[in-house]
Amino acid sequence: MTGIIIVDKPQEFTSFDVVAVMRGLLHTKKVGHGGTLDPMATGVLPIFAGGATKAVDIVPDSDKSYRAGFALGYKSDTLDIWGNVTGSGMAAVTTAMLEKALEKFRGDIMQIPPMYSALKVGGQKLCDLARKGIEVERKPRPIRITRLERVEFDGQKGVIEVDCSAGTYIRTLIDDIGAELGTGAVMTSLVRTRACGFDISQSLPLNTLKEMSYEELCGKILPVESVFSGLSRIELDETQKRLYLNGVRLDTDRLSSKPPENEFCAVFGGEFLGVARATGGELVSVKRFS
């Protein structure tokens, strides 16, 4: 079993819980996922099986999209409604005030990772330290918010949609928005609507997958090349294919189409062969899948 299946992760499941379930359903131990989701979050979790696991660390589209609920007037140690929440929920905030605050978080910004996260400091996960009541200094990291839109807002509760770079914490974003407004804010829900270039419309609930036969599951598997659909496509003839599969660098001037310099491209030779990069007039294999 080799390929990708897009799971709509249920609430209260970790990403690794889903991986464990899919190992059983797909009859293979070789299973990985395309980006961790918090247990209380739902939505797009691409599952890579078999030889497709080699694609996890070279997925070209690493941006993510989310739909998140929030409530003003609260603070939380976990930055969401599932932690130790304090506050009255009172917030005299207009839609115009919220829009003005949102504007400050669009584009390239710096973000401090939350204590309740899987990031490691000194070999220890921040969340493990947080559960012991230990808080350590975290350095701000650059992130990019390409879209941040208000979907709903009643003056205290609302929903935003976010398109962002990998490594963005939506809980932290909402906490920062609350700080900008001077009211505090916590995340109340989170749905990932896009990851690895796959949309939530392509996802299947885990319970639905559990009810399928192995043959039905196989019919839902996407080919590994689907994650590279946005790359330039290079077609090799039989001689070039043989050389490529043997690790030989190919002269880009002799290819049917010249790939963009220093960019990844998807390589085919009657079938998907792998991902390569053109550099110095040569096509160099990055990872082979055949």
Side-chain angles (χ1 to χ4, degrees), residues 143-185:
I143 62 167
R144 175 171 292 179
I145 306 292
T146 52
R147 185 173 72 95
L148 175 57
E149 302 293 339
R150 168 184 56 87
V151 178
E152 300 171 14
F153 185 57
D154 65 6
Q156 194 264 328
K157 295 180 180 179
V159 175
I160 55 174
E161 289 186 347
V162 186
D163 296 344
C164 56
S165 59
T168 300
Y169 288 91
I170 305 302
R171 287 177 288 135
T172 299
L173 175 63
I174 287 173
D175 181 69
D176 289 343
I177 292 169
E180 178 67 24
L181 290 167
T183 63

Side-chain angles (χ1 to χ4, degrees), residues 97-107 109 148 177:
M97 292 166 64
L98 176 62
E99 289 289 355
K100 185 177 179 180
L102 294 181
E103 182 60 35
K104 295 194 175 185
F105 295 95
R106 297 185 178 111
I109 63 173
L148 175 57
I177 292 169

Side-chain angles (χ1 to χ4, degrees), residues 2 12 17 52 57 80-81 121 130 163 165 180 184 186 198 226 240 243 264 269:
T2 291
E12 299 184 358
D17 289 337
D57 61 351
D80 58 37
I81 200 69
V121 172
D163 296 344
S165 59
E180 178 67 24
V186 294
F198 299 109
S226 60
Q240 292 167 336
L243 292 172
F264 287 129

Side-chain angles (χ1 to χ4, degrees), residues 256-270:
S256 59
S257 60
K258 192 166 185 176
E261 186 74 5
N262 292 321
E263 289 186 14
F264 287 129
C265 56
V267 182
F268 290 80

Side-chain angles (χ1 to χ4, degrees), residues 3-7 22 26 45-49 202-204 209 212 216-222:
I4 304 167
I5 190 163
I6 315 305
V7 178
M22 295 308 296
L26 298 174
L45 184 66
I47 294 295
F48 295 72
Q202 298 171 274
S203 67
L204 293 165
L209 295 171
M212 291 182 180
E216 288 174 321
L217 276 174
C218 290
K220 302 299 181 182
I221 295 290
L222 301 174

Side-chain angles (χ1 to χ4, degrees), residues 67-203:
R67 184 182 178 96
F70 66 92
L72 301 180
Y74 297 103
K75 293 288 287 182
S76 166
D77 58 345
T78 59
L79 312 185
D80 58 37
I81 200 69
W82 300 285
N84 295 315
V85 179
T86 58
S88 64
M90 302 297 292
V93 174
T94 65
T95 299
M97 292 166 64
L98 176 62
E99 289 289 355
K100 185 177 179 180
L102 294 181
E103 182 60 35
K104 295 194 175 185
F105 295 95
R106 297 185 178 111
D108 294 313
I109 63 173
M110 301 297 288
Q111 186 181 76
I112 298 175
M115 277 301 301
Y116 279 88
S117 66
L119 289 178
K120 290 184 177 181
V121 172
Q124 295 188 75
K125 288 184 179 179
L126 288 175
C127 57
D128 292 337
L129 295 173
R131 293 187 186 102
K132 296 175 183 177
I134 301 171
E135 183 167 351
V136 298
E137 183 180 358
R138 289 97 66 205
K139 293 181 180 180
R141 304 190 307 174
I143 62 167
R144 175 171 292 179
I145 306 292
T146 52
R147 185 173 72 95
L148 175 57
E149 302 293 339
R150 168 184 56 87
V151 178
E152 300 171 14
F153 185 57
D154 65 6
Q156 194 264 328
K157 295 180 180 179
V159 175
I160 55 174
E161 289 186 347
V162 186
D163 296 344
C164 56
S165 59
T168 300
Y169 288 91
I170 305 302
R171 287 177 288 135
T172 299
L173 175 63
I174 287 173
D175 181 69
D176 289 343
I177 292 169
E180 178 67 24
L181 290 167
T183 63
V186 294
M187 187 177 75
T188 57
S189 64
L190 184 65
V191 180
R192 187 158 69 190
T193 56
R194 185 173 176 276
C196 299
F198 299 109
D199 187 80
I200 196 164
S201 62
Q202 298 171 274
S203 67

